[in-house]
C-alpha cells in the first residue's frame, strides 16, 4: 500500500518535472504564429508575419549567415584538433598527460563570462573583435572538449588489433586509418562534431563580448531582441532553432538506435 | 549552452604496467598498446604528439588571455590590491558575491531534490517510459539556453501564460510575480540545470545492483530502511557529480539571471559584464573574474579530494 | 577441393632476435629456422615471449637486435603491410563495419585485384573454410567458430607464403577448438604454406605441429617434433610443461640413480652420468601387488596407494613412496587398478628404457619475470 503511494508520488513529481522541462519549449511555438506585436498566449490571431520578418530582414539574415559560417568552420577545426588530441591522449605516452587532459576540458570548467572577458581583452589587442576569425578561434576552443571527450570514448573501446589485422592484410597506415579506424570511431566523431557545431551556434555569452555592428551572430541578435525591446521575431527564430536542434539530435538518436538494433539482432 | 550531455566520466588512459607478452584482451576491454611501444621517450612519443596542437592552441587562445586578465586585476588602473580592496569594502559588491553563492547553493539543492526521485523513477520505469523520461530531460538540454530562458519569461511574467490562465480561471485575482525576482531566477536556473543533475544521477543509479535492495529486505530490512541504507549511499557518487556540475555552472551563470532576475538578484557574472560594457572598469571586472575563477577552481580542487573529478568530464565506457 | 595446392610456402629464419622491455627481457638471442611449408608451434606460458616473437615476425613489434628473414629476404625493417604475411588473431579481429565478403576481400582490394578475379578468390576462400553461403552477413551475426573461419579465409585469400596465428583457438570452447584444429591441419595440408602457430596449450601443440619450439623466459628451451619433446625432453621444464610426468632427481652414476635408502633407479642405456632427473611418463608406470613378480629389466619402488581415479578411457593411480613423493600411473580401464584401494601397499614398476634422463635446466630467471607475476615452478 505504502509502496503504491510512493510510486504515485514519484510519478506525480516526474510529470510535474517533465512539464517544467518541456513547457517553455512548447509554449514558444504557438506564440511564434501570433499576429500580435505584443507577445500573448494563447495568440488571438494567427499569422506567419514573424517568420516573414525573420527571412526578409537583412540584419536577421546577416547574423544567421554569420552564425552558420562560424559554426561550420568551428566544427571543422574542432573536429580536426579534437580528434587528434583524443588519439594523443588515449594512445600516446606523454609527459604531463594529466595536465594536457585538464587543459582540454578547461573550456568546460571556466565560466563563459570569464572566457568572454579574457578573449575580448585579447581580441581588442590584436584587432580580432567583430571578425569571423576571432569568433572561430574562440568558439573552436569552446567546442573542442566535446569532440575530444567523445572521440576518446570511442577510441578507448576500439580494439587496436583491428589495425594490426588491416596492416597484416596489406593496408598502409593511412589506408588503415581511413578504412578501419575512422569508420569504427565515426559515431564518436559525429557526436563530437554535432556538439561542437551546437556550441558555436548557440553561444551567447562569449559572443556578446566579441560582437558589434560589424559582425553579430544570431544568438547575440536574439539577445538584444529579448533584452532591449522584445521583438516577437525572436519567437519565430527560437521555434526554428528548436526544430533544427531537435531534428539534428533526433537524427543522431535514430542512427544510434538503428545501430544498436542491428547489433542486438546480430547477437542473437 | 548545451553542455556536457555525453560528457560524463572516465578516461581509461592506457597506463598499463609493462608486460612483455601482452595477453590479448577481449575486444573492448581497454586498448592494448601494441607491444612495440614501450620504449623510452623524451617528451612524447609519436601518438602523444597529436595532443600537442590543441594544448598549444588552448594555451594561446584561452590560458594566456586568462592570465592577462588575472594580471590586470592587480595593475589596472594602479598597481596593487586596489580592485580587491574596493570589492570587499563595498557591501554592494559583497552582497553580489553572497547572492551568487546563495543562488548556486539553492539551485543545487532544488535540482537535487527534484532530480533524485526523477532519476530513481527512470531506473525503475519500464523501458518505454524510461526512454520518454530520458527524452524529456534531453530536449531542453539540446535547446538553446537563451531560447529556454526567454520562453520562461513569456510563461512566467505577469501577463504570461500561467498568470493569464490562473486569472481567467478565477483562481487568483492578481497576477503572481514570478519574474524579475529571486523566484524567477530559481525557476529559470533549476529548469536549465536539471539535466546536469539527472544525467549523472541516472548513470550512477543504473549501475546499482537492485538485488542488493532485495537482499537487504530478505535480511529483514523494511523497504524504506533498505532504500536509505543501501541505495542512497550507493548513489552518492552520482549525487556528488551532479551537485558539483550544477553548483560550479551556477556560480558563473549570466543569461538566465539577467533575464529572469530583478535588480536585487545580480550575480557575479552579470556584474562582470556590467563593469566592462557600461562602466568600462577593466581592472575591477578582471578582479571579479579572478575571484569567480579562483572560487571555481578551489571548489574543484576540494571536490577532487573526495570524488574523481575527471570522471565527471571524461566519458565513461 | 580447389587449385590452391600449387601454392608454396617460404622458409622463415629468425636469428639473434632480442627484445628488451623497460623492466624485462622478452626475447634473448632467439634463433629459429622454419622450413618452407612447415607447421611450427611456438609454445610457452604467458610471459615466455612467444607472442612477442610472433609480433616481431609480423612486424608489429621492432626487435632491438637480430634479423628476420622470409624466403631469404631480410624483412627486419619492412613495415607490416609490406611483409605479405597472413595473420590470424585470437579474437578474430574481423572488421565489424564490413560484411564477411568485404572482410575477406579487404587484402585483395589493397592489392587492386581485378573485380572478377577478386570475387572468385573470395568465394573460393570462403568455400575452403565452408562458409561460402555467409558472405552477406555481418561478423557479429556469426558464432565464434564461424568468425575465426572468416578470419582464416581473410588471411589466406591473398595467398601469403607464411600464415601467422596468435592463439587463434583461445577464445573457443573445447569441442569447437578440437574441430577447428582438424580444419587448420587440413588447410595446412591443402595450402602447403608455412604455418607459425602460437599457443599456451600443450595438447594443441602436440596435436597440430610438425615441430614445436618451447619458449621460456625469452629463450627457446627445446625445439623438435612433438614426439621428441614428449618422449625425450632435454630439460625438466619441457617434461613438466608437456603432459604429466614423474620426476626423480639426484646424481646418475653408471646409468643408475640411487633412490631412497636402499632403492635405485636404472635409466635407459647410453644415458650420460651426472646430476639431473629421471623422468617417467605415467602411461609407462605399472602398479603391482607386493606378491606379484616384477618383470625383468624393470625398476621397482615400494609405496602405498593414495588415490585411484576413473577417467573413462583409463584409470589414474597415485602412489605415495616412503619419502613422500607421489608417483602417477595411468592404465587402460580394464586393468587391475580397479581393485586397488587407498592405503594398500603396492610396488610401482617401469621398464628401464622408459626412464629418460633430463637436465635440471636453469631456474626461473628472476630478471626475465615481470614484477607481480609468479615464477613458473621449476
Amino acid at each position: 500500500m505504502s509502496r503504491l503511494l510512493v510510486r504515485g508520488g514519484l510519478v506525480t513529481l516526474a510529470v510535474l518535472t517533465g512539464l517544467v522541462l518541456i513547457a517553455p519549449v512548447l509554449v514558444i511555438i504557438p506564440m511564434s504564429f501570433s499576429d500580435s506585436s505584443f507577445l500573448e498566449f494563447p495568440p488571438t490571431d494567427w499569422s506567419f508575419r514573424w517568420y516573414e520578418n525573420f527571412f526578409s530582414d537583412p540584419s536577421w539574415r546577416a547574423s544567421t549567415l554569420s552564425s552558420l559560417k562560424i559554426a561550420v568552420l568551428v566544427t571543422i577545426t574542432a573536429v580536426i584538433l579534437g580528434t587528434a588530441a583524443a588519439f594523443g591522449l588515449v594512445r600516446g605516452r606523454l609527459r604531463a598527460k594529466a595536465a594536457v587532459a585538464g587543459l582540454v576540458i578547461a573550456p568546460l570548467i571556466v565560466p563563459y563570462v570569464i572566457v568572454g572577458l579574457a578573449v575580448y581583452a585579447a581580441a581588442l589587442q590584436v584587432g580580432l573583435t567583430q571578425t569571423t576569425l576571432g569568433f572561430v578561434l574562440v568558439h573552436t576552443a569552446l567546442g573542442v572538449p566535446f569532440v575530444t571527450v567523445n572521440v576518446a570514448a570511442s577510441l578507448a573501446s576500439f580494439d587496436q588489433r583491428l589495425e594490426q589485422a588491416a596492416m597484416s592484410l596489406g593496408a598502409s597506415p593511412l589506408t588503415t586509418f581511413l578504412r578501419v579506424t575512422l569508420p569504427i570511431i565515426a559515431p564518436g566523431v559525429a557526436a563530437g562534431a554535432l556538439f561542437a557545431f551546437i556550441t558555436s551556434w548557440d553561444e551567447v555569452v562569449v559572443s556578446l563580448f566579441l560582437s558589434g555592428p560589424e559582425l553579430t551572430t544570431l544568438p547575440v541578435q536574439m539577445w538584444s531582441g529579448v533584452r532591449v525591446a522584445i521583438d516577437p521575431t525572436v519567437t519565430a527564430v527560437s521555434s526554428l532553432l528548436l526544430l533544427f536542434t531537435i531534428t539534428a539530435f533526433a537524427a543522431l538518436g535514430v542512427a544510434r538506435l538503428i545501430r544498436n538494433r542491428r547489433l542486438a539482432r546480430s547477437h542473437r | 549552452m548545451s553542455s556536457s550531455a555525453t560528457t560524463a566520466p572516465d578516461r581509461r588512459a592506457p597506463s598499463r604496467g609493462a608486460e612483455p607478452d601482452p595477453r590479448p584482451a577481449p575486444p573492448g576491454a581497454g586498448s592494448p598498446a601494441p607491444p612495440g611501444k614501450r620504449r623510452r621517450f623524451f617528451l612524447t612519443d609519436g601518438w602523444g604528439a597529436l595532443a600537442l596542437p590543441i594544448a598549444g592552441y588552448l594555451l594561446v587562445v584561452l590560458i594566456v588571455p586568462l592570465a592577462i586578465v588575472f594580471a590586470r586585476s592587480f595593475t589596472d588602473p594602479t598597481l596593487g590590491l586596489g580592485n580587491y580592496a574596493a570589492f570587499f569594502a563595498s557591501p554592494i559588491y559583497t552582497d553580489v558575491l553572497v547572492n551568487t553563492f546563495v543562488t548556486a547553493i539553492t539551485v543545487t539543492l532544488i535540482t537535487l531534490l527534484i532530480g533524485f526521485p526523477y532519476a530513481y523513477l527512470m531506473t525503475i520505469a519500464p523501458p518505454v517510459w524510461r526512454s520518454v523520461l530520458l527524452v524529456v530531460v534531453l530536449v531542453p538540454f539540446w535547446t538553446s539556453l537563451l531560447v529556454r530562458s526567454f520562453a520562461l519569461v513569456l510563461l512566467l511574467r505577469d501577463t504570461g501564460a500561467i498568470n493569464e490562465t490562473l486569472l481567467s480561471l478565477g483562481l487568483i485575482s492578481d497576477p503572481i510575480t514570478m519574474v524579475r525576482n529571486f523566484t524567477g531566477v530559481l525557476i529559470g536556473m533549476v529548469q536549465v540545470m536539471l539535466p546536469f543533475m539527472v544525467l549523472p544521477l541516472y548513470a550512477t543509479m543504473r549501475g546499482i545492483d537492485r538485488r542488493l535492495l532485495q537482499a537487504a529486505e530478505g535480511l529483514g530490512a523494511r523497504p524504506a530502511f533498505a532504500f536509505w541504507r543501501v541505495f542512497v549511499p550507493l548513489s552518492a557518487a552520482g549525487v556528488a557529480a551532479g551537485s558539483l556540475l550544477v553548483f560550479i555552472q551556477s556560480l558563473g551563470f549570466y543569461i538566465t539571471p539577467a533575464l529572469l532576475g530583478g535588480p536585487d538578484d545580480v550575480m557575479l557574472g552579470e556584474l562582470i559584464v556590467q563593469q566592462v560594457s557600461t562602466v568600462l572598469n577593466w581592472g575591477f571586472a578582471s578582479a571579479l573574474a579572478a575571484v569567480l575563477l579562483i572560487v571555481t577552481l578551489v571548489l574543484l580542487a576540494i571536490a577532487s579530494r573526495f570524488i574523481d573529478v575527471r570522471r565527471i568530464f571524461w566519458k565513461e565506457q | 577441393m580447389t587449385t590452391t595446392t600449387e601454392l608454396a610456402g617460404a622458409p622463415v629464419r629468425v636469428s639473434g632476435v632480442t627484445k628488451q622491455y623497460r623492466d624485462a627481457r622478452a626475447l634473448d638471442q632467439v634463433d629459429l629456422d622454419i622450413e618452407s611449408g612447415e607447421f611450427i608451434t611456438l609454445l610457452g606460458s604467458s610471459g615466455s615471449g612467444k607472442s612477442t616473437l610472433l609480433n616481431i615476425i609480423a612486424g608489429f613489434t621492432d626487435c632491438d637486435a637480430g634479423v628476420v628473414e622470409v624466403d631469404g629476404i631480410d624483412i627486419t625493417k619492412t613495415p607490416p603491410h609490406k611483409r605479405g604475411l597472413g595473420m590470424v588473431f585470437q579474437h578474430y579481429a574481423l572488421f565489424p563495419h564490413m560484411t564477411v565478403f568485404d572482410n575477406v576481400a579487404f587484402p585483395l582490394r589493397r592489392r587492386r585485384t581485378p573485380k572478377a578475379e577478386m570475387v572468385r578468390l573470395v568465394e573460393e576462400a570462403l568455400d575452403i573454410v565452408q562458409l561460402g553461403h555467409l558472405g552477406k552477413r555481418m561478423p557479429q551475426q556469426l558464432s565464434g567458430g564461424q568468425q575465426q573461419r572468416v578470419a582464416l579465409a581473410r588471411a589466406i585469400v591473398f595467398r601469403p607464403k607464411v600464415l601467422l596465428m596468435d592463439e587463434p583457438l583461445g577464445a573457443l570452447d573445447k569441442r569447437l577448438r578440437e574441430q577447428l584444429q582438424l580444419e587448420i591441419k587440413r588447410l595446412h595440408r591443402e595450402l602447403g604454406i608455412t604455418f607459425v602457430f602460437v599457443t599456451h596449450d600443450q595438447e594443441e601443440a602436440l596435436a597440430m605441429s610438425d615441430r614445436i619450439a618451447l619458449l621460456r623466459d625469452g629463450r627457446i628451451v627445446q625445439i623438435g617434433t612433438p614426439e621428441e619433446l614428449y618422449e625425450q625432453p632435454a630439460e625438466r621444464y619441457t617434461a613438466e610443461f608437456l603432459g604429466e610426468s614423474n620426476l626423480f632427481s639426484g646424481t646418475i652414476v653408471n646409468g643408475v640413480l640411487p633412490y631412497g635408502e636402499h632403492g635405485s633407479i636404472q635409466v635407459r642405456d647410453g644415458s650420460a652420468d651426472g646430476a639431473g632427473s629421471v623422468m617417467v611418463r605415467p602411461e609407462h608406470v605399472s602398479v603391482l601387488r607386493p606378491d606379484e613378480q616384477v618383470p625383468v629389466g624393470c625398476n621397482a619402488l615400494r609405496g602405498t596407494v593414495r588415490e585411484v581415479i576413473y577417467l573413462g578411457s583409463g584409470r589414474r593411480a597415485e602412489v605415495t613412496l616412503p619419502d613422500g613423493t607421489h608417483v602417477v600411473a595411468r592404465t587402460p580401464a580394464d586393468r587391475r587398478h580397479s581393485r586397488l584401494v587407498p592405503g594398500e601397499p603396492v610396488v610401482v614398476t617401469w621398464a628401464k628404457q622408459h626412464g629418460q634422463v633430463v637436465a635440471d635446466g636453469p631456474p626461473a630467471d628472476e630478471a626475465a619475470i615481470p614484477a607481480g607475476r609468479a615464477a613458473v615452478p621449476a
Side-chain angles (χ1 to χ4, degrees):
Chain A
M1 204 55 227
S2 69
R3 235 170 222 216
L4 217 63
L5 215 67
V6 170
R7 289 240 163 142
L10 277 177
V11 170
T12 314
L13 185 118
V15 169
L16 286 176
T17 311
L19 271 179
V20 170
L21 287 172
I22 297 288
V25 175
L26 295 184
V27 91
I28 209 159
I29 294 172
M31 293 179 94
S32 68
F33 293 104
S34 167
D35 191 40
S36 164
S37 298
F38 310 99
L39 293 161
E40 45 175 22
F41 185 85
T44 38
D45 291 300
W46 305 86
S47 82
F48 284 101
R49 63 182 281 201
W50 305 117
Y51 288 90
E52 281 162 20
N53 190 39
F54 170 67
F55 285 109
S56 58
D57 184 332
S59 68
W60 280 109
R61 203 162 51 206
S63 63
T64 307
L65 287 177
S66 301
S67 270
L68 198 62
K69 187 163 82 180
I70 291 164
V72 167
L73 291 171
V74 163
T75 308
I76 295 168
T77 49
V79 163
I80 293 170
L81 285 169
T83 304
F87 272 91
L89 288 173
V90 174
R91 295 194 174 174
R93 302 181 65 210
L94 190 63
R95 260 178 224 279
K97 188 186 247 183
V100 175
L103 193 57
V104 170
I105 56 166
L108 298 178
I109 293 167
V110 181
Y112 275 17
V113 172
I114 301 178
V115 176
L117 179 71
V119 298
Y120 180 45
L124 279 176
Q125 292 292 315
V126 292
L128 281 177
T129 56
Q130 304 185 51
T131 62
T132 304
L133 179 61
F135 273 98
V136 171
L137 283 176
V138 176
H139 282 185
T140 298
L142 302 179
V144 141
F146 299 103
V147 178
T148 305
V149 165
N150 279 293
V151 176
S154 295
L155 267 183
S157 62
F158 176 82
D159 181 4
Q160 266 184 275
R161 271 172 310 242
L162 292 176
E163 291 177 348
Q164 294 190 345
M167 284 190 265
S168 79
L169 297 168
S172 66
L174 182 66
T175 312
T176 301
F177 179 76
L178 293 176
R179 300 272 167 159
V180 175
T181 317
L182 202 55
I184 294 174
I185 63 165
V189 178
L194 189 54
F195 274 106
F197 183 90
I198 297 286
T199 301
S200 168
W201 176 252
D202 273 352
E203 211 291 315
V204 194
V205 182
V206 177
S207 305
L208 270 174
F209 284 93
L210 295 176
S211 289
E214 299 279 318
L215 180 65
T216 294
T217 62
L218 185 61
V220 172
Q221 187 166 8
M222 288 170 71
W223 173 253
S224 33
V226 171
R227 224 10 216 333
V228 184
I230 291 192
D231 175 358
T233 312
V234 175
T235 60
V237 184
S238 299
S239 303
L240 289 173
L241 286 184
L242 284 175
L243 193 72
F244 178 77
T245 35
I246 290 175
T247 311
F249 278 96
L252 191 73
V254 168
R256 274 196 188 151
L257 201 70
I258 290 171
R259 202 179 148 85
N260 290 347
R261 280 266 167 85
R262 212 168 56 190
L263 286 179
R265 197 177 54 223
S266 57
H267 276 305
R268 250 176 233 159
Chain B
M1 231 306 312
S2 45
S3 216
S4 45
T6 59
T7 325
D10 193 285
R11 127 116 279 106
R12 206 152 291 172
S15 56
R16 311 166 69 243
E19 194 185 12
D21 185 15
R23 316 277 306 123
S31 57
K37 268 213 230 138
R38 295 246 154 261
R39 69 176 60 129
R40 287 170 200 291
F41 61 102
F42 168 60
L43 184 69
T44 170
D45 61 0
W47 282 116
L50 289 171
L52 297 181
I54 193 61
Y57 184 88
L58 288 173
L59 273 177
V60 172
V61 174
L62 189 67
I63 304 301
V64 169
L66 285 174
I68 294 174
V69 162
F70 191 73
R72 196 168 189 173
S73 71
F74 297 104
T75 59
D76 190 352
T78 52
L79 198 66
L81 295 171
N83 289 316
Y84 294 91
F87 176 73
F88 287 106
S90 162
I92 299 174
Y93 297 133
T94 47
D95 279 356
V96 170
L97 185 64
V98 171
N99 183 52
T100 304
F101 268 89
V102 169
T103 308
I105 291 170
T106 317
V107 168
T108 308
L109 288 178
I110 296 175
T111 50
L112 183 59
L113 278 175
I114 300 174
F116 194 92
Y118 190 91
Y120 179 72
L121 191 69
M122 281 172 77
T123 58
I124 60 172
V128 175
W129 283 105
R130 180 180 307 166
S131 310
V132 171
L133 289 171
L134 190 62
V135 167
V136 166
V137 174
L138 287 177
V139 165
F141 201 87
W142 295 335
T143 51
S144 152
L145 187 148
L146 175 58
V147 170
R148 275 186 291 156
S149 301
F150 173 55
L152 275 173
V153 173
L154 299 182
L155 202 61
L156 297 175
R157 62 191 176 144
D158 288 0
T159 55
I162 291 178
N163 273 320
E164 292 287 337
T165 312
L166 291 176
L167 283 170
S168 65
L169 289 174
L171 289 172
I172 50 172
S173 51
D174 293 306
I176 308 168
T177 311
M178 290 180 286
V179 287
R180 305 265 174 261
N181 60 13
F182 192 54
T183 315
V185 176
L186 286 185
I187 295 176
M189 286 180 65
V190 166
Q191 205 268 353
V192 170
M193 284 296 165
L194 206 48
F196 291 96
M197 183 63 86
V198 170
L199 292 175
L201 276 175
Y202 175 61
T204 307
M205 288 182 184
R206 198 176 44 175
I208 296 176
D209 187 348
R210 294 197 53 80
R211 282 170 302 187
L212 290 174
L213 283 174
Q214 292 168 8
E217 287 176 37
L219 293 169
R222 296 222 324 271
F225 185 84
F227 182 80
W228 278 109
R229 299 303 288 269
V230 177
F231 192 84
V232 172
L234 284 174
S235 53
V239 173
S243 302
L244 187 70
L245 270 179
V246 170
F247 188 73
I248 284 188
Q249 293 197 74
S250 298
L251 283 180
F253 245 56
Y254 169 62
I255 297 292
T256 310
L259 275 180
L260 287 154
D264 295 336
D265 309 307
V266 177
M267 291 173 71
L268 264 179
E270 213 179 337
L271 188 59
I272 292 172
V273 176
Q274 276 178 14
Q275 289 299 316
V276 176
S277 59
T278 55
V279 192
L280 291 176
N281 191 345
W282 277 90
F284 190 62
S286 299
L288 293 173
V291 169
L292 180 53
L293 187 58
I294 287 168
V295 167
T296 306
L297 293 180
V298 166
L299 275 170
L300 271 175
I302 294 172
S304 68
R305 296 184 67 112
F306 302 102
I307 55 175
D308 189 353
V309 173
R310 285 187 311 174
R311 287 179 67 90
I312 297 174
F313 294 99
W314 292 97
K315 219 170 165 176
E316 188 159 35
Q317 283 316 295
Chain C
M1 124 183 326
T2 49
T3 56
T4 44
T5 38
E6 79 258 15
L7 276 180
V12 178
R13 167 186 285 241
V14 171
S15 34
V17 163
T18 298
K19 177 72 189 174
Q20 177 80 37
Y21 289 116
R22 238 182 320 173
D23 41 11
R25 173 153 290 199
L27 288 175
D28 189 6
Q29 295 281 336
V30 170
D31 298 313
L32 182 62
D33 263 309
I34 305 169
E35 282 167 34
S36 178
E38 190 178 20
F39 191 124
I40 195 157
T41 297
L42 308 180
L43 176 66
S45 57
S46 95
S48 62
K50 57 186 190 303
S51 289
T52 306
L53 182 53
L54 194 78
N55 278 316
I56 285 174
I57 297 174
F60 301 139
T61 302
D62 299 329
C63 52
D64 301 330
V67 176
V68 179
E69 287 167 55
V70 171
D71 221 355
I73 300 159
D74 181 353
I75 57 159
T76 318
K77 299 275 178 258
T78 311
H81 66 280
K82 290 184 179 155
R83 295 195 178 194
L85 310 175
M87 176 114 182
V88 178
F89 298 80
Q90 178 175 9
H91 290 281
Y92 328 130
L94 295 178
F95 305 127
H97 57 300
M98 298 181 193
T99 62
V100 166
F101 183 94
D102 288 332
N103 262 281
V104 179
F106 187 90
L108 300 175
R109 294 208 165 107
R110 303 287 79 75
R111 288 165 175 77
R112 311 204 183 286
T113 311
K115 181 89 196 282
E117 169 83 348
M118 181 192 80
V119 172
R120 188 181 68 77
L121 287 171
V122 170
E123 283 171 355
E124 187 182 295
L126 283 173
D127 280 340
I128 291 177
V129 297
Q130 295 160 13
L131 289 177
H133 54 299
L134 293 180
K136 289 199 177 73
R137 295 273 184 95
M138 297 304 280
Q140 302 91 325
Q141 294 172 280
L142 306 181
S143 70
Q146 288 172 325
Q147 289 191 45
Q148 195 56 294
R149 284 193 206 155
V150 176
L152 271 169
R154 187 180 66 175
I156 59 168
V157 71
F158 63 102
R159 311 197 163 179
K161 292 180 170 174
V162 179
L163 181 60
L164 310 175
M165 288 186 272
D166 192 1
E167 306 234 12
L169 310 178
L172 303 174
D173 64 42
K174 192 170 185 312
R175 275 185 60 184
L176 212 51
R177 204 157 60 213
E178 283 167 2
Q179 189 188 334
L180 265 165
Q181 281 175 8
L182 292 176
E183 276 197 45
I184 291 173
K185 278 303 283 179
R186 176 177 60 81
L187 212 58
H188 176 241
R189 274 195 312 276
E190 282 177 10
L191 299 178
I193 64 179
T194 313
F195 276 38
V196 184
F197 189 94
V198 163
T199 185
H200 66 275
D201 181 340
Q202 44 106 3
E203 282 181 40
E204 196 166 280
L206 291 174
M208 302 183 74
S209 322
D210 292 332
R211 279 198 301 161
I212 298 172
L214 178 66
L215 278 90
R216 177 197 187 190
D217 297 340
R219 295 190 193 94
I220 293 179
V221 177
Q222 190 171 355
I223 182 162
T225 64
E227 292 83 357
E228 280 166 1
L229 261 71
Y230 186 80
E231 286 164 19
Q232 295 159 39
E235 274 185 27
R236 202 184 161 104
Y237 183 80
T238 314
E240 285 177 334
F241 199 92
L242 286 111
E244 222 175 357
S245 57
N246 298 301
L247 285 152
F248 307 93
S249 46
T251 308
I252 297 140
V253 185
N254 296 327
V256 174
L257 176 86
Y259 193 77
E261 282 169 28
H262 30 258
S264 67
I265 295 169
Q266 289 182 295
V267 299
R268 183 205 296 259
D269 296 334
S271 300
D273 286 358
S277 294
V278 175
M279 181 210 72
V280 191
R281 293 290 182 189
E283 58 270 27
H284 295 137
V285 179
S286 301
V287 183
L288 305 177
R289 294 244 150 65
D291 55 339
E292 284 177 283
Q293 180 74 44
V294 176
V296 180
C298 280
N299 292 298
L301 294 172
R302 291 180 176 281
T304 48
V305 175
R306 185 171 180 242
E307 194 141 40
V308 182
I309 296 165
Y310 178 62
L311 297 171
S313 60
R315 285 196 161 77
R316 181 179 183 278
E318 241 180 83
V319 174
T320 310
L321 303 185
D323 66 344
T325 317
H326 301 303
V327 175
V328 178
R330 269 171 198 273
T331 53
D334 57 338
R335 296 281 288 278
R336 67 191 85 200
H337 283 171
S338 56
R339 281 175 274 127
L340 294 172
V341 286
E344 193 180 345
V346 289
V347 176
V348 288
T349 74
W350 66 90
K352 73 171 185 185
Q353 71 266 23
H354 288 135
Q356 170 73 28
V357 177
V358 298
D360 280 335
D365 180 2
E366 297 297 331
I369 294 170
R373 175 176 288 142
V376 182

